């Protein structure tokens, strides 16, 4: 690793002692990083966020912890997240590409994770949102969410298929791992989650409460990857009708609205501009470049989404301190009022670093400006695993806490911006391509 990056990692470790409180106190050591090149700064943030999934992983399972609170280090130590672990799988691949770890180190971690997943609780092939990392037993996400979570399963499978592509031409041990991944993938009963053959996918099923949560995957949001994988399944696929009638509401998913002179393209029910994770989670592996179907050009959709959020923060209709060209980004994260899916329609003056940093492919100049400002001017907002989850300059507030689903997209999308590495792996899967073709997608 670059010697300067190593020294900077040590510097940020030493900064942890300064981050005990929750008030913003700018440090005087800005010159430590202000001479870094753009590439070196990208290396640094990728290395730090990678560490969440490497050093911060639950040791028995190798899976990603749902959250890590530096101010509450013993909180939820055994709670691992399936979707966040899917992001972690792709992040570990980024770690190999960037030289943070070796290929063999990654293989050993993947082997641990996949062995754990083979014996962990599943419900018609789908994993729950949370598992106990020591036992593999479901931990309820809410009172009735104690069974299969199809969306978190899709995020996990997205990562598993990227790992499979990476190792598919490897040595015998690596090929054996890819066969285990194939079996896990084939065991997910995607079509069963249509609830007795309705033309829509359902998010949850519980052996205790069955379909009581009754949450349909309908209208644009972060769950597009669920439909694509469900169509791509070699064993339990859905039909194109489920996508068109369920996801796309028979065409009602399209939007004719504009925001800051940019077409919003698609909408979720009545909300055309949602939190930015909609443009990230499905597109960690799914390459939006030149990706189209009858409803959208997905590059235009995502780039416009990121630019609209940027323009909104620059415009700053709420007059929040700090909003502007340097500090921007609204998405789901910790907030001054608990966990909030920040967007223009729910803006509390809280900026979530993952929003801008995970948008590097869409807004490279605006995202780099944010990254430099954060690391040069607000080093107290950066800790062991990179930028803390959220902050508010208006409310003089931050928490030294991390969430897997927020840290994970950062190194992956930065790498897709730099090399398209994860995009190329995932899109290289023949079954994924079959699913895209089945649903009417075109892509180069």
């Amino acid at each position: 690793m670059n010697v300067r990056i190593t020294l900077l990692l040590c510097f940020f470790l030493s900064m942890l002692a300064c981050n005990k409180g929750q008030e913003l106190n700018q440090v005087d050591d800005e010159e430590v990083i202000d001479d870094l090149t753009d590439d070196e700064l990208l290396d640094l943030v990728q290395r730090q966020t990678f560490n969440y999934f490497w050093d911060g992983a639950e040791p028995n399972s190798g899976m990603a912890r749902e959250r890590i609170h530096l101010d509450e280090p013993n909180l939820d130590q055994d709670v691992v997240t399936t979707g966040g672990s899917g992001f972690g799988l792709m992040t570990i691949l980024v770690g190999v590409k960037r030289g943070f770890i070796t290929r063999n180190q990654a293989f050993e971690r993947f082997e641990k994770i996949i062995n754990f997943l083979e014996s962990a609780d599943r419900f018609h092939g789908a994993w729950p949102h949370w598992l106990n990392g020591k036992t593999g037993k479901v931990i309820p996400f809410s009172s009735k969410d104690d069974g299969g979570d199809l969306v978190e399963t899709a995020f996990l499978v997205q990562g598993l298929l990227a790992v499979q592509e990476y190792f598919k031409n490897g040595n015998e041990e690596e090929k054996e791992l890819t066969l285990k991944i194939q079996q896990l993938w084939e065991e997910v009963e995607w079509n069963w989650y249509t609830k007795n053959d309705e033309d829509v996918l359902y998010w949850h099923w519980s052996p205790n409460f069955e379909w009581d949560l009754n949450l349909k995957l309908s209208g644009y949001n972060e769950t597009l990857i669920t439909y694509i994988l469900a169509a791509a399944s070699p064993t339990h696929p859905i039909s194109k009708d489920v996508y068109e009638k369920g996801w796309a509401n028979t065409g009602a998913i399209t939007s004719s609205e504009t925001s800051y002179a940019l077409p919003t393209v698609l909408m979720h029910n009545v909300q055309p501009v949602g939190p930015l994770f909609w443009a990230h989670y499905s597109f960690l592996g799914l390459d939006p470049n030149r990706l189209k179907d009858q409803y959208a050009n997905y590059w235009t959709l995502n780039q416009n989404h990121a630019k609209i959020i940027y323009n909104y923060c620059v415009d700053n209709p709420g007059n929040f301190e700090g909003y502007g060209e340097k500090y921007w980004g609204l998405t789901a994260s910790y907030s001054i009022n608990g966990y909030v899916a920040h967007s223009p329609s729910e803006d509390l003056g809280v900026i979530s670093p993952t929003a801008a940093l995970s948008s590097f492919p869409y807004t490279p100049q605006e995202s780099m400006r944010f990254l430099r400002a954060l690391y040069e001017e607000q080093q107290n907002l950066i800790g062991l695993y990179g930028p803390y989850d959220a902050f508010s300059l208006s409310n003089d507030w931050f928490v030294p806490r991390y969430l897997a689903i927020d840290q994970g997209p950062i190194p992956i999308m930065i790498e897709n911006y730099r090399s398209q590495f994860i995009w190329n792996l995932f899109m290289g899967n023949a079954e994924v391509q079959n699913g895209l073709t089945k649903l009417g997608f075109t892509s180069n």
Side-chain angles (χ1 to χ4, degrees):
M1 192 194 307
N2 183 303
V3 173
R4 284 208 290 178
I5 300 301
T6 303
L7 291 174
L8 283 166
L9 286 169
C10 293
F11 167 74
F12 280 111
L13 283 172
S14 70
M15 284 295 299
L16 289 177
C18 300
N19 291 338
K20 299 293 185 181
Q22 296 187 356
E23 293 186 354
L24 303 180
N25 297 300
Q26 187 164 329
V27 298
D28 297 325
D29 297 72
E30 294 173 5
E31 68 274 8
V32 175
I33 62 170
D34 62 7
D35 64 340
L36 287 182
T37 66
D38 287 352
D39 278 343
E40 287 174 330
L41 191 52
L42 291 173
D43 286 344
L44 175 60
V45 70
Q46 282 185 292
R47 183 66 170 90
Q48 290 175 320
T49 48
F50 158 84
N51 274 339
Y52 182 98
F53 301 93
W54 191 252
D55 296 334
E58 193 283 320
N60 178 66
S61 63
M63 299 271 284
R65 291 186 167 105
E66 165 70 11
R67 59 177 64 88
I68 296 178
H69 291 184
L70 299 182
D71 57 337
E72 299 177 273
N74 296 320
L75 179 70
D76 291 342
Q77 288 281 292
D78 299 334
V79 179
V80 299
T81 168
T82 51
S85 291
F87 300 172
L89 292 169
M90 292 180 275
T91 296
I92 291 170
L93 289 172
V94 171
V96 178
K97 181 169 180 59
R98 288 291 151 190
F100 307 151
I101 54 172
T102 66
R103 178 187 177 107
N104 190 60
Q105 285 176 303
F107 171 80
E108 290 176 351
R109 177 63 62 85
F110 292 145
E111 194 171 43
K112 175 183 285 191
I113 292 170
I114 289 163
N115 288 342
F116 173 81
L117 290 172
E118 286 179 323
S119 59
D121 280 350
R122 278 185 284 174
F123 305 87
H124 291 273
W127 289 274
H129 192 132
W130 284 343
L131 289 164
N132 185 305
K134 290 183 177 178
T135 66
K137 298 300 181 183
V138 60
I139 295 175
F141 187 71
S142 64
S143 60
K144 291 187 176 182
D145 187 359
D146 61 353
D149 184 314
L150 197 65
V151 175
E152 295 296 309
T153 293
F155 297 153
L156 177 57
V157 170
Q158 184 178 208
L160 287 170
L161 294 182
V163 171
Q164 184 185 53
E165 285 299 304
Y166 185 78
F167 286 114
K168 69 180 182 181
N169 296 319
N171 60 37
E172 290 305 310
E173 284 186 326
E174 291 170 347
K175 289 178 179 177
E176 286 179 13
L177 189 71
T178 67
L179 292 176
K180 288 186 173 185
I181 291 173
Q182 187 66 23
Q183 182 172 344
L184 292 174
W185 155 230
E186 291 182 358
E187 288 172 349
V188 181
E189 298 175 29
W190 305 89
N191 58 351
W192 191 83
Y193 278 80
T194 58
K195 187 184 173 184
N196 302 318
D197 298 323
E198 293 183 21
D199 284 326
V200 66
L201 286 172
Y202 281 80
W203 199 309
H204 309 95
W205 179 82
S206 159
N208 298 308
F209 304 101
E210 298 188 342
W211 305 101
D212 279 6
L213 286 175
N214 199 40
L215 185 56
K216 297 178 181 180
L217 305 188
S218 185
Y220 181 66
N221 54 23
E222 77 274 24
T223 67
L224 174 62
I225 190 66
T226 313
Y227 275 89
I228 290 171
L229 290 174
S233 170
T235 50
H236 302 283
I238 60 167
S239 68
K240 188 179 181 183
D241 278 349
V242 177
Y243 175 72
E244 293 179 337
K245 296 176 182 178
W247 168 257
N249 288 324
T250 316
I253 194 173
T254 58
S255 171
S256 59
E257 295 187 34
T258 62
S259 182
Y260 295 98
L262 295 167
T264 57
V265 185
L266 297 180
M267 65 189 305
H268 177 74
N269 299 328
V270 295
Q271 185 179 13
V273 182
L276 257 175
F277 71 89
W278 289 3
H280 302 149
Y281 290 2
S282 285
F283 300 97
L284 300 177
L286 184 66
D287 184 356
N289 283 284
R290 297 172 295 279
L291 183 68
K292 302 176 184 178
D293 69 356
Q294 68 199 83
Y295 307 111
N297 176 314
Y298 288 86
W299 179 261
T300 301
L301 168 72
N302 291 342
Q303 187 175 59
N304 285 4
H305 190 173
K307 287 184 174 181
I308 288 167
I309 296 293
Y310 170 78
N311 288 333
Y312 171 87
C313 290
V314 172
D315 187 32
N316 193 14
N319 294 314
F320 294 114
E321 181 182 346
Y323 275 35
E325 293 184 351
K326 293 195 296 184
Y327 297 114
W328 64 279
L330 305 177
T331 193
S333 70
Y334 284 125
S335 188
I336 53 177
N337 295 326
Y339 186 81
V340 175
H342 306 103
S343 70
S345 62
E346 191 169 9
D347 183 10
L348 303 178
V350 173
I351 290 173
S352 312
T354 186
L357 298 180
S358 300
S359 296
F360 252 99
Y362 314 129
T363 52
Q365 293 181 346
E366 296 89 343
S367 295
M368 181 59 73
R369 191 181 303 121
F370 173 89
L371 178 61
R372 282 213 165 271
L374 188 67
Y375 273 69
E376 292 177 358
E377 300 174 1
Q378 303 290 351
Q379 292 172 358
N380 56 310
L381 299 179
I382 302 163
L384 186 60
Y385 304 120
Y388 294 139
D389 194 59
F391 65 91
S392 174
L393 297 175
S394 280
N395 294 282
D396 199 25
W397 170 91
F398 77 95
V399 283
R401 299 176 179 179
Y402 299 98
L403 291 170
I405 56 172
D406 286 344
Q407 296 310 102
I410 295 172
I412 299 166
M413 291 301 271
I414 287 177
E415 193 56 48
N416 282 331
Y417 161 68
R418 300 179 85 177
S419 70
Q420 301 193 351
F421 175 55
I422 300 298
W423 282 342
N424 290 339
L425 285 175
F426 182 77
M427 297 296 282
N429 182 281
E431 290 166 345
V432 169
Q433 287 297 325
N434 289 340
L436 288 168
T437 300
K438 178 179 178 178
L439 296 183
F441 284 85
T442 59
S443 176
N444 296 322

